Amino acid sequence: MKRATGPTIVVGIGLAKGGTQALAKVLADLPEELGLVFICHPITAAEEATPQSLAKSAAGLPRSRVIAVKGRIEIQPNRIYLTPAGSRTRFENDNLIVRARSGKTAGSVSLDEFYLGLATTFGNRAVGVILGDAQTAGVVGLGHIKSEGGITFCQDDRAKSISGEQDPPLSEDAPVDFLLTPEQIAQQLKRIAAHPHLSRGTRAPQPTLALTDQEAQLNRVFALLRALSGVDFAHYKHSTLKRRILRRMVLRRIPELQDYVGYLQQNPSEVDLLFQDLLINVTSFFRDPSVFQALNKRVFPRIVKQNGRNGTMRVWVPGCSTGEEVYSLAIALFEFLGKSAHTRSIQLFATDISEAALAKARMGIYPESIVSAVSAERLRRYFQKTEGGYQIAKFIRDCCVFARQNLVEDPPFSKLDLISCRNVLIYLGPILQKKVIPIFHYGLKEGGHLMLGTSETIGTFSNLFALVDKKNKVYLRREAHSRPDMSVVGRMVTTSVPETRRSKPLEEEMGSVDLDRHVNRLLLFEYSPPGVLVNSRMEVLQFRGQTAPFLHHPPGEASLNLLKLVRPELLVDLRTAIIAAERSEQAVRKTGISIEDVKGKEVSIHVMPFVAEGAEKFYLVLFETVEPSTPANGSAAKEEATKGGRSGRELARLKEEIRLTKESLQAIIEEQEATNEELKSANEEIQSSNEELQSTNEELETAKEELQSTNEELTTLNEELQTRNLELSQLNNDLNNLLSSVSVPILMLGNDLTVRRFTPMAERFFNLIQTDIGRRITDINPNVAIKELDRMVMEVIDTLRTQEQEIQDRDGRWYSLRVRPYRTMDNLIDGAVLLLVDIDETKRALMEFMALTSQPVITLHGDLRVQSANEAFYQTFNLRREEVEGVPIFSLADGGWNIPRLRSLLEAALPEKNRVQNFVIEHAFPRTWVKKVACSARRMHQQSKGTQLILLAFETFGSERPTAGTTLG
């Protein structure tokens, strides 16, 4: 797929339920010549729109701007393109291609593919919008748009209006930048179209960030990120980082990087948001199916063979993102092993730098759109259906360990069979890539495999890895003759030189450096004397120039020892010079040496000692040929030479050889004596070390036994924990099934009034959904009217006394709300339990009875508080409703009803008999002339356990009527 190069911003709109009406509102608020391209993709056929209907719904929208697409069309600014529901969309440069899809495909899958093509083709010029109630549809596709530097919107009619610099409401889901109403989405699209970085039309407008005065600002951004997260982005790919920074600048309506740096310094929360943006996690299940075929064919058989039946198979996935890659590998490995998978030890280590991504990976819950990548058979075997998606099966999740790790700073795992690091290296700069590959080599055991992304390679590390599959980038670990560089980067500071400070372009500078290096190499080759570089053990490390006249390779076993390579005529002088240089730590020169291969000239040996990094001593040995030395008076020398003849020269040569031999022998004797002393000392040290090793061996044997014992204890503890986990899992399943089966509304709250659990029946009464778990009940508007629910619950938690209240729902049905304390097994109070019991029939029957009877009647709660009374009671005893309901009966009329005979009836006689008739009470009731009443009382049990009412009826007699003009006291 080719990358589009035009300057236009392309807005991809997914239409879910109700999305067509929202689209009309968005388009109605946009000017005609805004310069944007709109491509509308409905999820279902019900949301398909025609140019006529859309132009009619959006007032003022010209019909000529709306185009229904079938086939190929070149997209142009200020046009709205409508695609059929479920169709397959594809982009080639600025051409939109729409084809009918064969077979049935979920609308969410079609929308994800649409957004993926949009992101791949238009990069940061892509804008993703979801209108209507889409739930989880299109979430994966929006993530692709955001990862390419684009901006994403989702409709939320509850969003507040945006004005000035107020931040827009952000979604909790990472792929969504804005949750806005249709009208607000139109306002934001206007602003985005006018932003300078996007209006230029480049996919990644890097020229602004590449200017000299911006380099320091970019380094300040890296410093702020490093201070917040501990991650140094200085050596990551700057092209990707700049694209993500520009995206945040567009979101914050900031045109210049310098202003954005100031905004970051004043708003630490924006630094965190930028950090999350730089760690966009885009992955999918079974990405590149050919890779998994290569694993089954080339990698898994070798891993199984190497580990045998009892070995542990260890896999590491650095940069695991939200876990799809890890679980795909686990499923593929289980499929390869078949029935033996559950009897083998399998460990998959997954690491990432993003805690948010790791949290999602540990949960293992993914949207329904994964059906496009996961077959129905795999969904059935390795997933469990949950509300709104699928969750990885527990036996797969148990094999996977997720942990936070910075790949270039934290220690790696070891003894691994496979490392899958796909599409991570493409975000790292060359320096980090050269650090990471040796880390992978260290982590793999012999015969281990490394798998990279299709656009990644191992670079210059062919000595560490052998290519197994070129197409799928599978490598085999090689044994390294020298230890690779395992140093990690740590906290590095960028030292890049701004471009305007360079006196020449980069290409000219590099050309100049290469030219100088080439000239220097020619001069050294042509005029420097031949020689060798040796270490303290006389091993030749480097050969310099033509050393053939001075060194030769003797027959027999190959060796690089200098004393074995040097010609015999030079051996004595060379050994003497090296010993002298070692003792004096200064350069030593030996001259006047004659060898057969260099006739007419003498050989000079120059030994220069030096110490390099690591405190190891090296020697540079140079060989030079010079003219033989002659006396100052040339004629006299000739005459003497003629007289003395050859015998004089031969005698001088022999004397010199004897002198050199003596010196050499003396040096050898001294060296031998020193060596003998060292050997004696070393022998004593070895004997002492041997005794220490024997003692250490005994300690290790003891420690081994202790470790074996500890290991047995840990194994037993692990088995107990596994058994406990199984019991807890079974108990949790039983509890979930019990709550799902109960047809009574039950709600459990914590001490802080947060929702803990609830039955399905409670969802309707308290207006709850699954995501409300953890929210305070006071933040939720229930469908039943409950007076002072928070006070009632807190009183139950504080006093441990059950509270009860009669309430009505919106349909007028009566329920008894009973609140009791939540007790743990340790008898601790950890919240409250709310129970709703349907008392509508009983309540209405009692209300009808009380309304029809002419006798005074009241109902009491179990604690003798008045629940209700009929009109006859209020008239007979001259009381008002607000003075009676909810008041203890003995407190009526300011305590005037605190009658010993009535207390005896309610506290003694009634509990014993449950029913009492014609219980006579003589008392001057206040506010009335009633002197004597006959009471009938009865306990009425309701449906809820322990809940009861007391029905109390009065029959008055012996009362006097007041005379005219008399009032009650």
Side-chain angles (χ1 to χ4, degrees), residues 185 195 228 306 358 402 406 436 462 540 620 643 681 856 948:
I185 290 176
H195 197 280
L228 171 76
Q306 283 184 333
L358 290 173
F402 294 91
N406 188 337
V436 169
S462 57
V540 178
L620 180 61
K643 292 180 180 180
S681 176
Q948 61 179 2

Side-chain angles (χ1 to χ4, degrees), residues 725-737 757:
N725 286 337
L726 291 175
E727 293 176 355
L728 290 175
S729 177
Q730 184 63 42
L731 182 62
N732 190 49
N733 292 334
D734 294 343
L735 179 59
N736 288 334
N737 281 277
R757 283 183 183 269

Side-chain angles (χ1 to χ4, degrees), residues 866 877 879 883-884 887-903 923-927:
V866 179
F877 295 100
L879 294 171
E883 295 178 319
V884 174
V887 178
I889 188 171
F890 301 125
S891 300
L892 295 179
D894 299 327
W897 279 65
N898 191 7
I899 306 168
R901 183 74 172 162
L902 179 60
R903 187 179 293 274
H923 180 72
F925 290 89
R927 303 188 187 181

Side-chain angles (χ1 to χ4, degrees), residues 689-709:
S689 298
N690 187 40
E691 295 175 357
E692 293 178 0
L693 287 174
Q694 289 179 350
S695 175
T696 303
N697 188 41
E698 294 175 358
E699 295 176 0
L700 289 175
E701 289 290 340
T702 304
K704 180 182 178 182
E705 295 175 359
E706 294 177 356
L707 287 175
Q708 288 177 343
S709 176

Side-chain angles (χ1 to χ4, degrees), residues 584-649:
S584 64
E585 297 183 353
Q586 294 180 357
V588 175
R589 181 185 293 272
K590 290 290 183 179
T591 59
I593 308 170
S594 300
I595 60 177
E596 293 181 1
D597 290 354
V598 183
K599 296 183 182 295
K601 291 187 179 182
E602 295 179 347
V603 177
S604 173
I605 300 175
H606 192 188
V607 180
M608 293 178 287
F610 66 94
V611 177
E613 295 181 1
E616 185 176 359
K617 184 176 289 186
F618 296 91
Y619 299 91
L620 180 61
V621 180
L622 301 178
F623 302 97
E624 298 181 70
T625 56
V626 296
E627 295 291 337
S629 58
T630 59
N633 189 341
S635 59
K638 289 181 181 180
E639 182 178 356
E640 185 179 353
T642 302
K643 292 180 180 180
R646 296 181 179 179
S647 58
R649 291 196 301 270

